[in-house]
Amino acid sequence: MSETTINVQDLNLTRKDFVPGNEVRWCPGCGDYSVLANMQKTLPVMGVKKENYAFISGIGCSSRFPYYMDTYGFHSIHGRAPAIASGVKLANPDLAVWIITGDGDGFSIGGNHMIHALRRNIDMNIMLFNNRIYGLTKGQYSPTSQLGMKTKSSPFGSIDRPFNPSAIALGANATFIARALDVDAKGLQESIKRSQRHKGASFIEVYQNCIIFNDGEFGALENKATRPDNALFVVHGEPMIFGKEQDKGIIMKDNHPKVVTLGGDWTEQDLLVHDETNPIITNLLLEMTFDPKNPTPFGVLRAVDAPTYDGMLVDQIKEVTKINGKGTLEDLFYSGDVWEVK
Amino acid sequence: MAKKVISINEATIRFAGDSGDGMQLTGTRFTEATAIVGNDLKTIPNYPSEIRAPLGTLAGVSAFQLMFGSQRVFTPGDLPDTLVAMNPAALKVHLKDLKKGGTILANANAFTDKNLKMATWETNPLTDGSLDGYTVYSMEMSKLVGKALENSDLTSKGIERTKNMFALGVLFWMYNRPIEPTEEWLRKKFAKNPSIAEANITAMKTGFNYGETTEIFTTSYAVEKADLPKGKYRNITGNVAVAYGLVAAAEKAGKELFLGSYPITPASEILHTLSGLRNHGVKTFQAEDEIAGIASAIGASYAGDLAVTTTSGPGMALKTEAIGLAIITELPLVIVNVQRGGPSTGMPTKMEQSDLLQAVHGRNSDAQIPVIAAQDPADCFDCAFEAARVAMKYMTPVILLTDGYLGQGSGPWKIPDPKKLPKIEVHHPDSSARGEDGFMPYARDENETRPWAIPGTPGLEHRIGGLEKENITGMVSQDPENHQLMTDIRARKVENITKDIPPSEIHGDTKGKVLVLGWGSTHGAIHVAVDRARNKGQSVSQMHLRWVSPFPSDLKAICDNFDEILIPEVNSGQLAMLLKAELIRPIHQLNKVRGEPFRAFEIEEKINEILG
Ligand code: SF4
């Protein structure tokens, strides 16, 4: 990471340092509040100076986020945050750059920028608030809305097949993919920390409830009581276990993930073990997302090392300068055939 | 028999051949040799729009024209004196432009039945007498290089490919140019493959000696050195000059240069040039699309780089929304549009000046932006430097308009002394800018510009964005009074730039009958036309706009001193439309949209028509 990390004690930052004076204007009960609070809680312990954070967003409810962070912030135009943030990071690699986007902003109008930012592996953090609806424009279906969903622009049910943002991130060869739930503080904080520490483009998909236009979209996941039986929190190197009693696990059967109950025929040894670095495992987890027979996976789904674009740019500048010498205007101007008029 | 050398003042040569015949390279080498001799010159390439049109077809003809002379040369010439035609298609396409009685150098070996048919010649023009009005040098170039290189280890195809060097050699002889620089250049270019270098050199020398010894050539021409201002010169294309101007501005401002760009004809050479300058600290980012090109540049500007995006018309259309963002966030940014024929994909390889209204007004809302236009390839350097300076001084995006003719055409550039280029003052506030109520990102200085506070500065954390902001505090605001105020301030900021525009120069008298008013790449053709008119005793002057938004403050007063105003433009009358609104008086227009620049005589004829 080109961002310099500093001893957390020396920085002496608290949550308050990241809270500006202005009023937060999301709908009461919106899932965005929890994400904001957890971001403000986590950043002080990252070892990054406050002035080195930059939050860049596009358009949508979640894209108001930078106004609610007392950091440098840029609320830009629809879909373009990853491209703007790329320029910010390349201009100043010392900055810890966060992109805040939504399912419409990041995967509809801005889909192209999203996949290329991930592919290039620019060291930035992309947080996608996936509420599977257009909130700011008051309730049209989004590219992640489920088939059949009735919205203002799909009164007879949506006939637009949705896609799975984290699977697209994997397809774009992202080096870090995590998924978290708006109401799960622990999972959010863990994702934010790991993402900020990751060298390269990080992608966090947050399942976020839009209480106004798509309340209950994440059903059993949102509820503390029913969540354990429906969510699988994966940990690198550990078997895939879930359930209120921690009694269920995932095995591989006929090339498909399958839920089994521990005790009886199955032991921990039979279960699949999570491996952040193995794209086959990540893909398998992502395939479980829409499968009602399987729990929905959360946690760090993928984390691999790869050279970053920003790092390679800095290195290339150094390398070429070493070989050719520091360029001067004189060298440049006289690089063609020169003649003199006396 | 000793051969005659005739001294002439100027000459215009057009090289034409199949896309694969290397005409651009041949033209460029002739240009370099001509520059070294000390002539003034201007060049213009003319490519087919297909990358590889079928061999020998009319669509596949590629051409390069230059005019050079012992006096100042302002255009690449109207009609060529000499046409090099490497095949029948090249002759077919370009013969109509050749001056009456002009000279044709043709490769006779390419005039086969098949090629003639493809070029729609019914009989061979080299032998059927149809070229009787011209001086024709029909040479068996392919055969001659074949013979000269029979012992080389090149394949017969490789040998055939050296025929352009033969043609170049003949021209070097005809116009008394040195062959040594090209020899040296070939050895460097083919350093890894010396046999190719030597074969090309042999072909060139064979051509030169062919001129020198064979009896078909009786005369060669000498063009004396031009009386250019003292100094060191090199030949430069407009696109390279833009790149250099930006690098120079960055250095003079103590900034790193960031280019966010997406490849597009005819602007890509700016991206190519800058991406080769890593040792100057230049960061180039080939974005996924035009929008990301400008968006990344806006991000880089926010973070404190001198940021630039480069494109052509269709790309400008895509960048429109982001330009509005740069305007409302009041961030410095240089947007270069190398204009081409449109609308839509239009004519990518042909020039046009038809994006003027798009540049000045083409955005949603009242969104003023300064627009500067370069007048010749060397001027692209100065305009790029100036665009960057103004962008940083006034905290605003600036559009620089050039076009395919300037971008890919070339002319001598008097190399400036880097030490004498003006320093560009840039101020980034530090933590002390934080007052009791916090930092005010939209506080205003005497030019009403806001501070360029960059991320990483402790205590100045603030938010900007596309939503309207309250003046001074930068808080999101939808207040009617504030929006009126901010809209007015944004307009005034652009208007303020008139303070930086020096008094306009008039070529000719400051009062008179006709003022020919132009902008951009029409400068040379207008200049020549005005000079010819003045030599005939006509009361005609020239004024050329560099800033087209805002207009210079002396514009109206100057126009008032002339009875008639003529605006020639390579569009359907866009500057005329703007000026009619500004000056409220009738304006004569001369418009054409044929994908090619004006020829001086076209403007001359229009002047005659006005003067009756
Ligand atoms: S519309 Fe939905 S997503 Fe937007 S602020 Fe309200 S609850 Fe949140």
Side-chain angles (χ1 to χ4, degrees):
Chain A
M1 187 162 52
S2 28
E3 297 146 32
T4 12
T5 30
I6 295 178
N7 202 327
V8 176
Q9 280 76 35
D10 296 346
L11 281 173
N12 198 16
L13 289 169
T14 66
R15 178 180 172 213
K16 267 207 193 128
D17 290 302
F18 291 90
V19 182
N22 52 345
E23 191 189 335
V24 182
R25 293 210 179 139
W26 288 310
C27 307
C30 174
D32 292 359
Y33 282 96
S34 155
V35 186
L36 176 66
N38 283 294
M39 183 68 81
Q40 289 166 334
K41 259 183 222 156
T42 312
L43 294 192
V45 301
M46 294 312 303
V48 175
K49 288 184 188 163
K50 180 183 157 179
E51 64 268 23
N52 281 352
Y53 283 112
F55 278 77
I56 320 294
S57 65
I59 295 292
C61 292
S62 58
S63 286
R64 296 289 178 105
F65 200 96
Y67 291 126
Y68 309 140
M69 293 290 300
D70 194 9
T71 60
Y72 283 95
F74 197 153
H75 174 225
S76 73
I77 44 176
H78 209 8
R80 316 304 169 204
I84 291 177
S86 299
V88 171
K89 181 70 185 181
L90 298 179
N92 185 354
D94 264 344
L95 300 175
V97 177
W98 280 82
I99 295 159
I100 305 293
T101 183
D103 37 317
D105 187 61
F107 280 87
S108 193
I109 194 167
N112 195 32
H113 309 308
M114 178 63 74
I115 55 174
H116 290 282
L118 292 170
R119 167 180 71 78
R120 288 188 187 106
N121 202 31
I122 302 181
D123 188 11
M124 313 186 283
N125 311 285
I126 303 173
M127 186 179 254
L128 170 81
F129 289 57
N130 185 5
N131 56 14
R132 300 184 178 164
I133 190 80
Y134 284 131
L136 192 70
T137 50
K138 302 199 170 72
Q140 300 82 10
Y141 64 91
S142 89
T144 58
S145 298
Q146 303 297 303
L147 264 182
M149 185 173 164
K150 289 192 173 151
T151 69
K152 280 194 184 133
S153 56
S154 58
F156 305 111
S158 166
I159 51 172
D160 235 342
R161 286 178 70 226
F163 54 32
N164 177 353
S166 289
I168 292 173
L170 181 66
N173 213 358
T175 56
F176 179 95
I177 303 169
R179 190 188 275 151
L181 254 178
D182 54 1
V183 287
D184 172 28
K186 187 172 153 244
L188 270 172
Q189 290 183 20
E190 179 64 15
S191 296
I192 292 168
K193 278 186 198 158
R194 287 282 311 272
S195 170
Q196 172 58 42
R197 286 195 191 114
H198 178 73
K199 301 178 186 90
S202 318
F203 180 77
I204 308 175
E205 179 184 8
V206 180
Y207 278 12
Q208 174 245 323
N209 191 45
C210 168
I211 196 166
I212 303 294
F213 297 108
N214 201 13
D215 194 22
E217 170 67 22
F218 301 105
L221 294 168
E222 295 277 328
N223 186 318
K224 229 180 182 156
T226 49
R227 191 182 311 144
D229 285 329
N230 290 282
L232 168 71
F233 292 91
V234 293
V235 179
H236 181 64
E238 294 189 11
M240 296 181 191
I241 297 179
F242 70 107
K244 211 174 277 160
E245 312 297 337
Q246 290 287 293
D247 58 345
K248 286 184 241 177
I250 307 291
I251 62 156
M252 196 68 171
K253 176 116 198 304
D254 302 333
N255 291 329
H256 285 284
K258 184 178 158 43
V259 175
V260 295
T261 308
L262 296 172
D265 291 345
W266 304 100
T267 69
E268 266 189 46
Q269 266 74 46
D270 300 314
L271 301 181
L272 281 168
V273 173
H274 182 42
D275 180 353
E276 296 171 345
T277 65
N278 183 344
I280 295 171
I281 297 286
T282 307
N283 212 6
L284 182 123
L285 291 168
L286 291 168
E287 285 301 312
M288 288 163 66
T289 304
F290 293 144
D291 181 354
K293 291 195 293 293
N294 282 307
T296 307
F298 290 93
V300 177
L301 309 180
R302 173 172 164 85
V304 293
D305 285 336
T308 65
Y309 185 103
D310 41 308
M312 288 190 285
L313 178 63
V314 171
D315 289 349
Q316 199 172 65
I317 288 174
K318 275 191 203 142
E319 181 69 21
V320 177
T321 306
K322 206 169 114 192
I323 297 168
N324 296 350
K326 173 100 189 95
T328 66
L329 292 181
E330 204 100 25
D331 300 341
L332 186 65
F333 294 174
Y334 286 87
S335 58
D337 286 330
V338 174
W339 72 93
E340 190 169 2
V341 174
K342 287 186 191 137
Chain B
M1 184 182 89
K3 297 198 174 188
K4 261 197 306 205
V5 181
I6 298 181
S7 190
I8 53 174
N9 291 333
E10 56 180 47
T12 300
I13 303 179
R14 187 178 294 178
F15 300 82
D18 199 72
S19 309
D21 285 340
M23 288 299 97
Q24 303 303 324
L25 184 139
T26 313
T28 310
R29 291 324 308 163
F30 190 88
T31 303
E32 294 294 334
T34 296
I36 290 167
V37 169
N39 296 137
D40 196 8
L41 63 90
K42 287 282 183 298
T43 74
I44 182 176
N46 189 340
Y47 308 107
S49 45
E50 290 86 4
I51 299 294
R52 281 278 175 268
L55 207 71
T57 58
L58 299 175
V61 174
S62 167
F64 182 100
Q65 179 167 319
L66 90 156
M67 175 170 173
F68 56 101
S70 56
Q71 284 147 9
R72 293 309 301 270
V73 171
F74 292 96
T75 76
D78 286 357
L79 304 177
D81 307 298
T82 297
L83 173 66
V84 178
M86 298 303 282
N87 70 0
L91 185 65
K92 188 85 193 183
V93 173
H94 294 288
L95 183 61
K96 61 179 185 317
D97 287 342
L98 187 62
K99 254 184 215 159
K100 277 203 188 93
T103 301
I104 298 168
L105 303 178
N107 177 17
N109 295 123
F111 284 67
T112 60
D113 288 350
K114 187 174 157 233
N115 284 347
L116 287 164
K117 211 168 145 216
M118 240 183 317
T120 68
W121 289 107
E122 274 161 24
T123 53
N124 187 346
L126 297 181
T127 54
D128 67 6
S130 60
L131 303 178
D132 281 356
Y134 302 96
T135 308
V136 182
Y137 297 106
S138 168
M139 294 170 278
E140 295 192 290
M141 299 189 193
S142 307
K143 202 166 140 195
L144 288 162
V145 293
K147 254 208 202 120
L149 293 170
E150 61 194 356
N151 295 326
S152 105
D153 19 322
L154 263 60
T155 59
S156 55
K157 219 171 155 190
I159 292 172
E160 166 74 11
R161 289 180 64 172
T162 65
K163 64 180 183 294
N164 63 330
M165 286 294 128
F166 177 93
L168 181 64
V170 173
L171 282 165
F172 278 161
W173 175 81
M174 255 179 94
Y175 289 97
N176 288 285
R177 323 268 97 172
I179 61 169
E180 292 75 15
T182 299
E183 232 181 302
E184 216 173 278
W185 180 86
L186 283 164
R187 289 210 171 93
K188 226 160 118 192
K189 182 171 163 77
F190 296 109
K192 288 209 185 86
N193 214 329
S195 59
I196 294 185
E198 292 315 314
N200 277 293
I201 292 166
T202 306
M204 177 172 66
K205 287 185 173 163
T206 308
F208 191 93
N209 294 337
Y210 188 82
E212 178 84 22
T213 52
T214 59
E215 284 178 2
I216 63 169
F217 290 95
T218 54
T219 316
S220 72
Y221 303 94
V223 182
E224 287 304 307
K225 265 188 195 152
D227 190 18
L228 293 167
K230 278 193 188 109
K232 292 202 170 133
Y233 286 81
R234 60 171 282 189
N235 194 46
I236 199 161
T237 65
N239 279 342
V240 172
V242 165
Y244 287 8
L246 295 168
V247 174
E251 183 163 322
K252 287 292 166 177
K255 297 264 94 194
E256 286 177 1
L257 181 63
F258 178 93
L259 172 71
S261 184
Y262 186 76
I264 186 168
T265 302
S268 299
E269 291 82 15
I270 306 174
L271 168 64
H272 303 168
T273 305
L274 288 175
S275 55
L277 300 178
R278 289 279 193 259
N279 63 326
H280 289 260
V282 177
K283 291 172 261 187
T284 49
F285 180 65
Q286 183 175 311
E288 56 272 22
D289 57 28
E290 293 282 356
I291 298 172
I294 184 168
S296 60
I298 290 172
S301 169
Y302 173 59
D305 276 0
L306 168 55
V308 182
T309 188
T310 50
T311 190
S312 185
M316 278 303 271
L318 285 164
K319 292 180 198 295
T320 304
E321 187 197 14
I323 296 174
L325 178 68
I327 292 174
I328 200 165
T329 52
E330 303 184 36
L331 284 169
L333 177 70
V334 178
I335 302 151
V336 184
N337 177 359
V338 186
Q339 300 165 95
R340 67 189 215 187
S344 187
T345 309
M347 304 205 289
T349 60
K350 311 288 181 220
M351 67 81 69
E352 213 164 278
Q353 293 185 293
S354 44
D355 298 345
L356 177 65
L357 289 178
Q358 180 198 38
V360 177
H361 289 306
R363 282 162 296 283
N364 55 313
S365 176
D366 285 333
Q368 280 84 350
I369 194 168
V371 181
I372 189 170
Q375 65 183 40
D376 60 41
D379 189 44
C380 288
F381 176 89
D382 297 330
C383 284
F385 190 93
E386 182 66 357
R389 186 187 72 80
V390 165
M392 290 186 281
K393 176 171 174 187
Y394 291 93
M395 290 292 282
T396 175
V398 174
I399 292 175
L400 165 57
L401 291 177
T402 73
D403 59 44
Y405 168 45
L406 295 180
Q408 306 201 317
S410 74
W413 175 48
K414 183 166 180 283
I415 301 171
D417 179 351
K419 286 187 285 296
K420 292 201 181 123
L421 288 171
K423 193 170 154 31
I424 299 175
E425 299 290 345
V426 177
H427 178 67
H428 295 300
D430 61 21
S431 308
S432 66
R434 189 185 174 87
E436 251 167 49
D437 302 325
F439 173 61
M440 298 292 145
Y442 282 79
R444 304 285 169 183
D445 71 4
E446 69 282 3
N447 291 319
E448 297 197 88
T449 63
R450 71 176 197 90
W452 191 5
I454 54 176
T457 316
L460 303 192
E461 292 84 358
H462 66 281
R463 272 65 59 194
I464 59 169
L467 280 174
E468 182 67 286
K469 298 290 183 291
E470 186 176 72
N471 194 33
I472 304 181
T473 66
M475 303 300 269
V476 174
S477 167
Q478 306 287 301
D479 174 65
E481 298 290 322
N482 179 71
H483 182 54
Q484 180 75 57
L485 175 72
M486 293 298 268
T487 303
D488 295 346
I489 289 177
R490 286 189 286 265
R492 279 202 300 270
K493 272 179 55 170
V494 174
E495 211 40 53
N496 275 340
I497 294 165
T498 49
K499 289 188 278 186
D500 277 45
I501 305 178
S504 304
E505 279 171 31
I506 310 290
H507 175 60
D509 302 313
T510 52
K511 265 186 191 339
K513 288 205 174 117
V514 177
L515 177 69
V516 188
L517 184 57
W519 68 279
S521 68
T522 51
H523 176 266
I526 295 176
H527 193 95
V528 173
V530 166
D531 275 351
R532 288 186 197 154
R534 294 179 63 78
N535 286 341
K536 284 185 286 188
Q538 290 170 323
S539 169
V540 181
S541 301
Q542 175 186 19
M543 171 176 176
H544 213 72
L545 292 174
R546 167 175 264 210
W547 287 100
V548 278
S549 170
F551 287 129
S553 49
D554 55 8
L555 175 65
K556 184 160 187 326
I558 292 169
C559 289
D560 285 347
N561 286 331
F562 291 87
D563 301 341
E564 311 288 342
I565 293 172
L566 166 63
I567 301 184
E569 287 178 274
V570 189
N571 61 40
S572 301
Q574 300 192 7
L575 179 67
M577 181 192 279
L578 294 175
L579 277 182
K580 276 178 201 161
E582 180 86 8
L583 303 175
I584 320 178
R585 62 180 280 186
I587 283 170
H588 298 276
Q589 292 177 216
L590 177 62
N591 303 106
K592 73 167 187 180
V593 276
R594 300 168 51 87
E596 56 191 24
F598 275 113
R599 291 171 174 148
F601 71 78
E602 294 167 331
I603 299 168
E604 231 183 312
E605 281 166 9
K606 185 73 188 177
I607 293 170
N608 289 337
E609 186 192 309
I610 293 169
L611 290 172

